[in-house]
Each structure stands twice: as structure tokens, then as C-alpha cells.
Amino acid sequence: MVELPAMRVLHLIPSFGTGGAERQLSILAPALAESGIECHVGYCYEGPNLQSLVGSPVYLHHFKVEGNHDPRLFWQIWTLIRAVKPEVVQTWLLQMDVLGGVAALLRRTPFIISERASAAAYPSGGKTKLRALIGRYARCIVANSECGLDYWRPRVSAERLRLIRNAISLERVGLPAPIREESFPIIGEGPIVLFAGRFTYQKNIPVLVKALIAVARQQQNAVFLLFGEGPERELAARKIADEGLSGRMVLPGYSPNLAHWMRRAAVCVSVSHFEGLPNVAIEAAEVGCPLVLSDIPEHREIFDQSSAWLVKHKLVDDVSDGILCALREKGESSAKAARAKRAVASFTPDAVLAEYLGIYSDVMNLKCHDSGKTN
């Protein structure tokens, strides 16, 4: 473990909702505080992932805002940096990358941007261009995938780019009581097909639902759990109801107990158009749940055909065929799952913590470029 002198780090994130960035900060911040870092977190909105920080040694600062464009937010961020006087500010997600980055620059405080996605996540527009401009002044860009680093390679020098994979932490503080499976009357002896994620364009929901419906027609004893929230959830529920499959295919909303269902599931499906490093896929791999994944570069960084069923995510038939193969070819699915588990074995909270402590050490010792330098 890297030994650091007394140090204050301030993390800024819009919310502690159900996303991957929120999940990762809920793992990292308490670990930092327990390692001896004085860790502060500023946020606007609460959410399920906040529970892991409540009662921990992390200092929490709740910004009072009315909507995402409240002009008071920048002043609150600037004031917090002035009061805390952190050695480094780390920002998470676009809103805080922009506002937190500018505030840190004005306070002459080194800042780090956390890259959680890849180029496909950023449509052309003013906010994207502003974030990219501010990122050129960051001491480091920390990405969780090579695709995330690829987005920044034309914009900043290579020595300021760092790759830190997501941490897998399945046993977390503050989880509710264990699942009572009787609350899910559809669960029987048949295989469970699991999806978990935001119901958004990124997750390729229309193709996913059509593929699951096709699987349901051929695998009569299978049941389907689709966990998550988002703008496309209602449309997905209507499609399932129209097909008469509501009794076998349910959308329970967000669950903090996904690890339980991953251990029970016969297969976990994620056919996203793009990703950063998906928490659901690596957590399912950790518990030994077979994976059906879209064949995209972000997934191939960790998995290949020997460790997951990789499918052409724009083709309903290919997705459904992949799921059916995973269900029917149990021996091969088990072998793939075992290799997937080995592929994520190094993604531990301790390893991730050590990587971040190394970066903070570099910042303190001025080993990174000055914040105003670019290529």
C-alpha cells in the first residue's frame, strides 16, 4: 500500500443513484477514508448507493439545488473547495467534470476526471466540447476501460492517462435483509435469465426485449428478471404485456441485492451498444454466472468467446440464439463462466484503492504534468 502524508481528497458527483459511477464511488470513498485519507464527497441527490457512505469516516456535503441547471451549484462547489482545501479534487460524470473542473482551476487545486464511458457516450454538442476542453487541464484522466482512454488520447498527453478497472464488492455495508424469494411468485424450478441496468438507449432495450420474448417462446420453463429503472422501462413492460408474458417476465425495478440473483441465474444478459466497464457483467462473472454479452470492444477488453457468449447485439435472432445456447449447453456455459471469473479476479477493492493512492501520491509529488499543459 502506498504511504501518503496527511491528505484531503474531495470527490464531486451529481448523485448517488443507481449508475456504475455512483456504485464505484460508494466502494472507493469509504476505502480511502479507512486507509487514512481525509475523504470528502460533495453531491446533489441521494440514492441507493449513498447508504454505503452513511456511518463511514467519509465527510458528506449535500449541495442544495433545484434541478440540474441551478446556478447556485457552481458557487456551492467553489465554496466547498475553498473550505475543505483538498490536495486534489476528483470529479465524476459530465456535470461535475465541468463545474468541478472549472471551480478547481479557479481555486488552483489539482483535479482528476473519472472517465466512465467511451466515445459513443458523448454526442457532439456544447457540453461535450466544454468537458473535453476542461479535461485538457486535468492532472490525470482515470478511465475504467481502454476505450475510455482512447477518447482522451487525441486530447491529452499519454502520461496523464491512467487505467483503473472497476472494483468488485459484492458484500457491502448497508444492504437490506436477504431476499425473500416468495415475494417473486414466478420463481420456480426453471432457469432464470437476468438483466440489470438502466432502461436507456445505451442498453439496447428494444432488441433485448424482443430477444427475451423469442427465448421465452422456446424455453417454456424459463423465467426472466429485468432489474432497473429508466425512460424505456414502461415501453418494455407494455411490450411484454402485449405478448402475454407478464407472468414469466417481470421488471422489479432497482435491486441492491443483485448478487443474490446472479448466483441464482442461469445466465446474465447485457447487449449494450456501448459501455465503459459494466459493473453488472464483472459482478456476474465474479459469482460464476454465465454471460451473454454484446460483441463490442468494451466487453472484449475483459471477455472473449472462451469466457462469454458474445453476440451481434443489433440482431434479435443472434441475441436470442446466444441466450438459448447458454441455457442449453450447460457444460460449455459453466466452462465459460469459470474463465470469466478468472478474468476479473484482480478487480478487488484493495487493488483499486492502491492504484488511486498511487495517483494521489503522484499528484502530491508533482509527477503528473502541470494542470495547464497540453499536448
Side-chain angles (χ1 to χ4, degrees):
M1 191 70 70
V2 177
E3 293 292 334
L4 290 176
M7 184 180 190
R8 287 181 299 277
V9 175
L10 170 62
H11 289 267
L12 299 171
I13 194 165
S15 81
F16 276 99
T18 61
E22 297 87 341
R23 173 68 178 269
Q24 286 302 305
L25 184 54
S26 78
I27 297 170
L28 175 62
L32 287 171
E34 291 163 7
S35 75
I37 297 290
E38 184 180 316
C39 185
H40 296 255
V41 176
Y43 66 98
C44 299
Y45 303 105
E46 298 181 357
N49 281 298
L50 183 62
Q51 189 60 41
S52 296
L53 280 71
V54 174
S56 78
V58 176
Y59 295 90
L60 295 173
H61 306 272
H62 189 187
F63 301 129
K64 308 297 183 183
V65 296
E66 295 181 5
N68 290 333
H69 300 97
D70 191 327
R72 298 174 299 171
L73 177 56
F74 177 80
W75 172 251
Q76 291 178 72
I77 293 170
W78 190 89
T79 301
L80 181 60
I81 296 174
R82 182 180 63 182
V84 171
K85 296 182 174 61
E87 276 75 26
V88 62
V89 171
Q90 185 165 349
T91 62
W92 300 73
L93 304 177
L94 187 148
Q95 181 190 47
M96 290 302 179
D97 294 341
V98 172
L99 297 180
V102 171
L105 283 171
L106 292 176
R107 293 294 310 168
R108 299 179 182 272
T109 302
F111 71 99
I112 296 169
I113 284 180
S114 308
E115 179 54 72
R116 303 289 97 184
S118 58
Y122 301 110
S124 59
K127 292 180 181 178
T128 297
K129 292 177 181 177
L130 181 58
R131 178 178 183 262
L133 175 62
I134 293 167
R136 297 174 65 186
Y137 297 90
R139 286 286 175 91
C140 293
I141 307 291
V142 180
N144 60 1
S145 69
E146 287 288 349
C147 290
L149 293 182
D150 287 343
Y151 174 74
W152 287 100
R153 285 191 169 101
R155 296 172 170 85
V156 303
S157 55
E159 55 266 38
R160 289 194 286 131
L161 297 176
R162 304 293 183 89
L163 176 67
I164 302 180
R165 299 297 189 184
N166 287 355
I168 300 174
S169 181
L170 298 175
E171 309 304 329
R172 302 169 65 210
V173 176
L175 286 181
I179 291 289
R180 294 175 59 86
E181 290 201 7
E182 56 266 33
S183 63
F184 286 79
I186 69 165
I187 302 300
E189 297 300 320
I192 297 172
V193 178
L194 174 70
F195 164 81
R198 288 276 296 164
F199 282 71
T200 61
Y201 166 79
Q202 175 188 350
K203 299 299 183 181
N204 197 19
I205 300 300
V207 169
L208 171 70
V209 170
K210 290 177 182 177
L212 294 180
I213 289 169
V215 172
R217 300 294 186 212
Q218 297 189 54
Q219 197 80 23
Q220 293 293 325
N221 64 337
V223 296
F224 304 80
L225 298 179
L226 285 70
F227 290 100
E229 303 286 353
E232 297 187 17
R233 182 171 178 267
E234 184 178 346
L235 185 61
R238 286 204 303 268
K239 175 67 173 175
I240 291 166
D242 289 346
E243 296 290 331
L245 289 168
S246 297
R248 295 172 54 201
M249 198 175 294
V250 297
L251 290 74
Y254 173 78
S255 171
N257 271 307
L258 279 179
H260 170 88
W261 295 110
M262 289 172 177
R263 292 185 177 101
R264 289 277 282 106
V267 61
C268 178
V269 184
S270 176
V271 289
S272 304
H273 291 295
F274 58 87
E275 284 288 352
L277 178 61
N279 288 316
V280 169
I282 63 174
E283 289 174 4
E286 169 64 18
V287 303
C289 180
L291 296 167
V292 173
L293 304 174
S294 49
D295 191 356
I296 57 175
E298 295 92 323
H299 286 146
R300 277 196 173 269
E301 284 187 32
I302 310 299
F303 308 105
D304 58 22
Q305 288 286 8
S306 74
S307 54
W309 300 90
L310 298 179
V311 297
K312 298 175 182 177
H313 63 286
K314 295 182 180 180
L315 302 179
V316 172
D317 289 346
D318 207 59
V319 175
S320 62
D321 287 347
I323 298 170
L324 288 167
C325 285
L327 293 174
R328 292 169 177 170
E329 299 177 25
K330 296 180 181 179
E332 187 170 355
S333 283
S334 295
K336 287 177 183 284
R339 286 188 285 267
K341 184 176 177 68
R342 291 195 292 271
V344 302
S346 63
F347 297 4
T348 66
D350 285 347
V352 169
L353 173 63
E355 295 263 20
Y356 275 108
L357 291 179
I359 289 177
Y360 299 152
S361 178
D362 286 349
V363 170
M364 290 193 72
N365 292 313
L366 301 179
K367 291 181 180 177
C368 292
H369 277 192
D370 290 338
S371 61
K373 291 184 180 179
T374 61
N375 284 346

